[in-house]
């Protein structure tokens, strides 16, 4: 039980037990209080305060511009909304690469100022020193391999990663290194389903996929994408569970019509 509610909190241990017993893990992104409150009440296992906030909340083309303080603002709003889900906070671009001491102090800042439960970092062996140092402070770390959007200017495109044997072999080695370092889970983004299944079978920690097929231990989607809020984004891996773009457009247009015609507010909608 959490200190403030009767709901049993999902922990990193819960996720490991879920993998061990073959139960799939559900994860969605969340960036603000109102949406996170609904996602948490739905019974989701994990909410990722993703640096995709840079795209869906701030309208940037990539995830690179979002700052540590902006991520802390989003994450603290999400934490205030949630009783059940494990909250993972993305460390933004430039806050953990290159200097593991800075990585640790940035991770500590996230934990102190947001109340989140863990952090996520993109990359494999090249950021192992940062991951290991963060783990020494008792901060749980989720890894992220495959298509890592913070490296978009290295990749040049958002196409599927690790289709060739050499990159696939490197990804497997990276996953093993993250497991050995002590990460509690790994996100695999946009890689062939066969490779993702192989990783999930050969690694003991939970593997969460996005565009990585069904042979992994859980799935994550960006909440705005699965709700159909962005009607211009329809990659093959995305299942849309609603068409909120259309529904919201209709609601806004009806409101405008009612205001213009004088139909709103009516007698019952005033004091
Ligand atoms: O930032 C994000 O939303 C992510 C997910 C796509 C895994 O990292």
């Amino acid at each position: 039980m959490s200190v403030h509610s009767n709901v049993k909190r999902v922990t990193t241990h819960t996720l490991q037990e879920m993998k061990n017993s073959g139960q799939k893990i559900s994860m969605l992104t969340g960036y603000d209080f109102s949406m996170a409150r609904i996602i948490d009440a739905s019974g989701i296992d994990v909410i990722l305060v993703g640096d995709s906030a840079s795209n869906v909340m701030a309208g940037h083309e990539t995830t690179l511009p979002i700052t540590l303080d902006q991520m802390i603002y989003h994450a603290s709003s999400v934490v205030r909304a949630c009783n059940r889900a494990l909250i993972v906070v993305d460390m933004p671009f430039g806050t953990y690469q290159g200097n593991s001491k800075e990585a640790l102090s940035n991770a500590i800042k996230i934990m102190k100022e947001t109340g989140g439960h863990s952090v996520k970092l993109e990359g494999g062996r090249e950021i192992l020193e940062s991951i290991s140092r963060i783990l020494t402070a008792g901060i749980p770390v989720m890894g992220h391999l495959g298509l890592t959007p913070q490296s978009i200017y290295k990749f040049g495109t958002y196409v599927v990663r690790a289709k060739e044997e050499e990159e696939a072999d490197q990804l497997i080695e990276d996953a093993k290194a993250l497991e050995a370092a002590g990460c509690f889970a790994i996100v695999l983004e946009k890689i062939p389903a066969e490779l993702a299944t192989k990783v999930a079978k050969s690694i003991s920690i939970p593997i969460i996929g996005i565009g990585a097929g069904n042979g992994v231990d859980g799935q994550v989607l960006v909440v705005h994408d699965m709700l159909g809020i962005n009607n211009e984004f329809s990659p093959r891996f995305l299942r849309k569970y609603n068409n909120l773009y259309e529904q919201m457009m209709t609601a806004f247009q009806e409101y405008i019509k009612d205001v213009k015609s004088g139909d709103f507010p009516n007698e019952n909608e005033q004091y």
Side-chain angles (χ1 to χ4, degrees):
M1 304 282 180
S2 90
V3 183
H4 300 291
S5 87
N6 294 330
V7 179
K8 193 162 187 279
R9 176 73 75 177
V10 176
T11 67
T12 57
H13 298 280
T14 320
L15 301 189
Q16 187 63 55
E17 282 164 18
M18 289 174 79
K19 169 151 184 156
N20 297 347
S21 62
Q23 287 175 64
K24 296 270 190 180
I25 297 163
S26 60
M27 171 161 146
L28 281 172
T29 63
Y31 316 102
D32 69 284
F33 177 84
S34 300
M35 182 95 87
R37 212 158 62 104
I38 306 173
I39 302 171
D40 190 60
S42 74
I44 202 83
D45 298 312
V46 185
I47 296 183
L48 168 66
V49 185
D51 60 356
S52 49
S54 180
N55 310 110
V56 295
M57 300 301 285
H60 292 296
E61 203 173 309
T62 72
T63 57
L64 276 68
I66 200 161
T67 65
L68 186 59
D69 284 337
Q70 287 166 342
M71 285 302 297
I72 287 172
Y73 166 77
H74 286 295
S76 57
S77 307
V78 168
V79 167
R80 283 192 289 276
C82 297
N83 292 319
R84 179 179 183 277
L86 174 82
I87 314 285
V88 183
V89 185
D90 258 343
M91 293 193 67
F93 176 66
T95 61
Y96 59 91
Q97 300 95 337
N99 183 331
S100 62
K101 286 190 182 157
E102 270 181 31
L104 174 60
S105 73
N106 289 329
I108 288 174
K109 186 172 161 75
I110 288 174
M111 299 299 282
K112 272 190 184 293
E113 295 183 19
T114 71
H117 311 129
S118 58
V119 295
K120 175 164 82 58
L121 284 69
E122 294 183 7
R125 284 160 290 178
E126 72 282 8
I127 56 154
L128 218 49
E129 194 179 310
S130 291
I131 289 179
S132 302
R133 202 180 277 267
I134 292 169
L135 285 163
T136 60
I139 301 172
V141 175
M142 177 180 269
H144 184 157
L145 298 171
L147 177 64
T148 45
Q150 291 179 15
S151 304
I152 187 58
Y153 291 119
K154 183 178 86 180
F155 298 144
T157 134
Y158 287 99
V159 294
V160 177
R161 303 303 315 171
K163 277 163 94 174
E164 307 303 328
E165 200 179 323
E166 193 185 338
E167 195 179 335
D169 288 346
Q170 276 179 21
L171 187 142
I172 294 170
E173 287 310 307
D174 280 337
K176 286 184 179 157
L178 295 184
E179 177 190 36
C183 287
F184 73 87
I186 302 172
V187 166
L188 293 183
E189 180 164 352
K190 227 170 168 190
I191 62 166
E194 202 180 320
L195 173 61
T197 305
K198 190 171 164 188
V199 174
K201 283 199 173 135
S202 57
I203 292 231
S204 63
I205 57 174
I207 302 295
I208 317 283
I210 173 164
N214 204 5
V216 290
D217 307 306
Q219 299 293 329
V220 55
L221 285 176
V222 169
V223 69
H224 289 62
D225 297 343
M226 61 86 76
L227 290 174
I229 290 179
N230 179 358
N231 66 343
E232 284 159 14
F233 187 63
S234 294
R236 176 173 168 165
F237 69 79
L238 175 62
R239 185 178 293 181
K240 290 192 183 178
Y241 288 84
N242 213 319
N243 188 347
L244 281 196
Y245 181 91
E246 293 296 334
Q247 291 192 34
M248 290 168 80
M249 183 65 81
T250 303
F252 298 147
Q253 288 175 340
E254 280 179 16
Y255 168 72
I256 294 167
K257 185 164 68 63
D258 291 350
V259 170
K260 302 267 181 196
S261 70
D263 181 71
F264 174 78
N266 65 24
E267 273 178 17
N268 298 325
E269 292 163 334
Q270 62 192 16
Y271 301 98

